[in-house]
Amino acid sequence: MKKIFLMIIVMLPIYSKAQFIKGDKVLGGSLQLDTRNQSTGDEPNYQNRNFSLLPNLGFFVNDKLELGGVVGYSANYHNVEESQFSIGYTSTSQSLTTGLYAQKYFSLTDKFLFAFLVQSNFSRGNTISPQFDQESGEYIDYKTLHYAINSSLRPTFYFFPSPQWGFKLSLASFNHTFNKNLTTDNKSNQFTLYYGGFSVGASYYFRKQKD
């Protein structure tokens, strides 16, 4: 897989062809699903599921570069099984997102394109997770508010069955996320490489007539 990816990167300048023109517009969206499970080893067994839906609107500033914005919704489910390492708990979170992106296209064939997507999002939402209550001596659900600023780089493959319709698939991304908990004022920075999940989407391209 790494050799194939490196080969694509090396050959991009060779196969770069103009597919769009300045002033073209695109309306689309992406659906991202990421599921991770751990059921072996010395750590507690857990399940982690991420879901996001991000509609986008963009326009081309030249024949290969698209700029645009996104709005969307995301949710996370995290479950840890009870064991000698953990009490066992479930936490959920959801947030609304807005952001900006830039995407550079490279033509592989007339119908297949490769693209690098650079995106920066701001999201705000809440998380519900169990906290120990000293008065009752039990764990109760506790709601916290938070916001996050996420920057990501995502290689993406596109298939165009027609000049107006494009379908995309991404299998990995590199991310940096700054999180702030508005309830506790805690802050964190995270660098992550996501792979194994996938992001799919469809876009409609409003193409200008070439002169």
Side-chain angles (χ1 to χ4, degrees), residues 33-38 45-51 75-80 91 93 194:
L33 299 172
D34 183 23
T35 300
R36 297 176 185 272
N37 300 295
Q38 177 176 284
N45 296 342
Y46 71 84
Q47 293 179 327
N48 192 70
R49 299 171 186 167
N50 291 303
F51 164 85
N76 171 267
Y77 169 86
H78 185 73
N79 175 260
V80 177
S91 66
S93 64
Y194 284 118

Side-chain angles (χ1 to χ4, degrees), residues 10 38 49 59 73 88 105 109 119 134 138 141 165 194:
V10 172
Q38 177 176 284
R49 299 171 186 167
F59 63 94
Y73 169 81
Y105 290 85
T109 68
Q119 188 166 316
Q134 294 183 348
E138 298 179 351
D141 287 340
W165 283 102
Y194 284 118

Side-chain angles (χ1 to χ4, degrees), residues 25 37 53 95 164:
K25 299 177 179 63
N37 300 295
L53 180 63
S95 61
Q164 283 73 39

Side-chain angles (χ1 to χ4, degrees), residues 111 113 156-162 165-169 200-203 205:
K111 293 184 179 296
L113 284 80
T156 306
F157 292 92
Y158 279 84
F159 170 63
F160 285 82
S162 72
W165 283 102
F167 297 91
K168 58 185 175 181
L169 171 66
V200 296
S203 300
Y205 291 80

Side-chain angles (χ1 to χ4, degrees), residues 139-153:
Y139 283 87
I140 61 174
D141 287 340
Y142 184 65
K143 183 177 181 178
T144 58
L145 302 177
H146 55 80
Y147 76 81
I149 300 173
N150 174 267
S151 299
S152 63
L153 172 64

Side-chain angles (χ1 to χ4, degrees), residues 48-81:
N48 192 70
R49 299 171 186 167
N50 291 303
F51 164 85
S52 68
L53 180 63
L54 292 173
N56 67 277
L57 176 64
F59 63 94
F60 285 82
V61 296
N62 59 41
D63 59 359
K64 297 183 182 69
L65 180 62
E66 174 194 345
L67 302 179
V70 300
V71 293
Y73 169 81
S74 61
N76 171 267
Y77 169 86
H78 185 73
N79 175 260
V80 177
E81 295 182 6

